[in-house]
DNA sequence: GACAGCCATCCTACTAGAAGGTAGGCATGG
DNA sequence: CCATGCCTACCTTCTAGTAGGATGGCTGTC
């Protein structure tokens, strides 16, 4: 009963895929109105300003990301499997143009020209993703299932950077396979040092 | 005698730093005209269209990059030192807002909305950078000064992705030190496996 | 059950400013 | 004398955002 996806949801979903394609300045209310089949002014009814729209979008994205990670942790108890599930999720996204990049990673490239409210959300995502990866690596190290040279924190930052760089390379080469080619050795190296 | 930097050079230099800040759609002819102290129409005299401007900018960037790498190879014969010199160059850039990101890496994020001529230049940069890194790693492996698990090619792709991801993280955290924190272990790991 | 009020949604019509780009004129210097 | 460089003035299209009206479904109240 009732439309499962409200208009506001549709707008957010559409805006997300447009940002993934071209960033904050790469889309307009007119673009959204065409796709959603609504007038520009109606979008302003749901989201008074562009900043409101993107802030809401990012808050929702972060909530979904955290829920996804919680789900992932339930399905995969082992730290190595959690890392594999994380990269596999993105490997599956890379092929689909509407979700082929992390919205926060893409927006992070444009931080100098972004409104401060947006920057705050992007930074929060980086911090929480880094914190989660750190906790996974810490547990893997204490269990003995993962091994690495430096601290869990610095290894987590390196892992996150490599994943973001892999998304970028996949886009640059126009080849989804590139992502797996970069991320798989990344995990196997962490597992290789196990007892 | 004569102004060392011509107006066209000034325009290109200015456009580059504006792209580094906000990407292809993040700057306008008006922005450049303000900084350079010239009218919008005069920029069109030097570069008829925005595509002309950015294509020229990228061709010059690629030439400079190749010259920089040639210079780097002269100063540092050892493969490990070449990798260190490469990341140190970028570590020095990260602090300066006008050069804190690789222009091609930044534009690569927006490939879906970029004119095809620009995409071609960006892809060419990724390919030549990857080819150079591969050759450095190959030489390091055959000399025995560097060690890694997979092929030189796949290791080079991973290295490049990590460097790009490190630029992104440094920007996201607003902390230049982040870049060194990610890239230094990257090289030491390659060196650690030496005989 | 009829009626009134209210609010959410969406619309048409509009604004001011910024976008990339053009036409044509005026210097200066080889 | 003619190419180079820069100018004023203008164009079209797009930008985010606003004003105000139509619809229509939910309330409460008599």
């Amino acid at each position: 009963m009732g439309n499962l996806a409200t208009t506001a949801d549709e707008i957010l979903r559409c805006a997300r895929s447009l940002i993934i394609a071209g960033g904050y300045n790469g889309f307009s209310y007119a673009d959204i109105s065409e796709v959603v089949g609504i007038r520009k002014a109606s979008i302003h009814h749901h989201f008074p300003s562009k900043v409101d729209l993107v802030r809401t979008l990012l808050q929702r994205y972060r909530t979904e990301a955290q829920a996804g990670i919680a789900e992932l942790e339930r399905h995969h108890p082992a730290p190595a499997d959690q890392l594999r599930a994380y990269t596999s999720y993105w490997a599956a996204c890379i092929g689909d143009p509407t979700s082929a990049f992390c919205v926060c990673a893409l927006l992070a490239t444009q931080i100098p020209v972004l409104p401060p409210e947006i920057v705050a959300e992007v930074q929060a995502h980086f911090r929480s993703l880094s914190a989660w990866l750190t906790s996974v690596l810490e547990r893997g190290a204490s269990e003995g299932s993962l091994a690495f040279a430096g601290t869990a924190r610095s290894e987590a930052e390196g892992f996150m950077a490599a994943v973001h760089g892999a998304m970028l390379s996949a886009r640059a080469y126009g080849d989804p396979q590139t992502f797996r080619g970069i991320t798989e050795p990344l995990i196997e190296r962490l597992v290789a040092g196990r007892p």
Side-chain angles (χ1 to χ4, degrees), chain A residues 1 4 9 21 24 27 45 58 65 73 92 94-95 99 103 127 147 149 152 154 159-161 173 184 192:
Chain A
M1 357 219 123
L4 292 162
D9 290 336
Y24 189 79
F27 80 101
H45 168 74
L58 288 179
E73 286 190 323
I94 298 288
S99 61
V103 186
R127 274 193 287 268
S154 85
F159 188 90
M160 184 174 74
Y173 290 129
E184 275 174 8

Side-chain angles (χ1 to χ4, degrees), chain A residues 18-180:
Chain A
L18 288 170
I19 288 178
I20 285 168
Y24 189 79
N25 292 314
F27 80 101
S28 70
Y29 273 44
D31 295 330
I32 297 174
S33 81
E34 267 180 48
V35 177
V36 178
I38 206 180
R39 296 291 153 154
K40 269 195 331 163
S42 306
I43 304 173
H44 281 284
H45 168 74
H46 293 280
F47 307 98
S49 78
K50 197 174 180 179
V51 172
D52 292 316
L53 171 55
V54 178
R55 197 193 325 107
T56 309
L57 184 158
L58 288 179
Q59 282 162 355
R60 180 168 300 201
Y61 177 77
R62 299 224 302 123
T63 306
E64 282 175 22
Q66 255 145 24
I69 281 174
E71 175 102 345
L72 178 159
E73 286 190 323
R74 267 195 301 281
H75 283 63
H76 306 278
D81 289 337
Q82 291 180 356
L83 296 180
R84 283 195 195 96
Y86 172 70
T87 56
S88 289
Y89 165 78
W90 278 111
C93 287
I94 298 288
D96 173 16
T98 68
S99 61
F101 224 98
C102 168
V103 186
C104 289
L106 210 147
L107 288 176
T109 64
Q110 310 180 345
I111 278 180
V113 298
L114 253 37
E117 301 96 315
I118 308 301
V119 174
E121 293 294 333
V122 170
Q123 287 179 331
H125 176 79
F126 268 77
R127 274 193 287 268
S128 72
L129 178 55
S130 160
W132 175 68
L133 288 170
T134 302
S135 75
V136 173
L137 291 173
E138 265 170 358
R139 202 160 61 79
S142 69
E143 280 181 13
S145 63
L146 298 179
F148 42 87
T151 64
R153 174 69 198 277
S154 85
E155 194 69 18
E157 293 291 354
F159 188 90
M160 184 174 74
V163 169
H164 289 152
M167 287 176 192
L168 187 63
S169 290
R171 173 160 282 193
Y173 290 129
D175 168 37
Q177 190 53 36
T178 300
F179 183 82
R180 279 205 179 278

